[in-house]
Amino acid sequence: MRLFCFNTAADNVEAARQMAATGRPALARLLAEEATDRASDPAESARILREFPGPSLRQED
């Protein structure tokens, strides 16, 4: 089992891809949204969200 360190956008995208591949699309989307928060380039953020489409699953306070 591989442990992840979620420090970068790339870490979150890699984890999101694994969650998508194992049938966990909701978790994949949440990880993708976290990746966009860590990405410094708006174009990269948009590309990440295109890879994991769907509505936001975040719950705002």
Side-chain angles (χ1 to χ4, degrees):
M1 179 176 160
R2 183 172 175 203
L3 297 177
F4 284 95
C5 184
F6 297 96
N7 293 328
T8 67
D11 295 335
N12 283 279
V13 170
E14 183 178 347
R17 287 180 180 139
Q18 288 191 0
M19 293 302 104
T22 58
R24 297 178 179 100
L27 185 52
R29 176 62 188 206
L30 287 170
L31 286 161
E33 290 175 5
E34 182 63 26
T36 65
D37 289 347
R38 295 174 185 268
S40 58
D41 179 16
E44 178 67 8
S45 294
R47 186 202 61 77
I48 292 167
L49 291 179
R50 280 193 306 274
E51 186 175 344
F52 303 94
S56 176
L57 300 171
R58 291 182 172 179
Q59 295 181 354
E60 302 293 331
D61 291 332

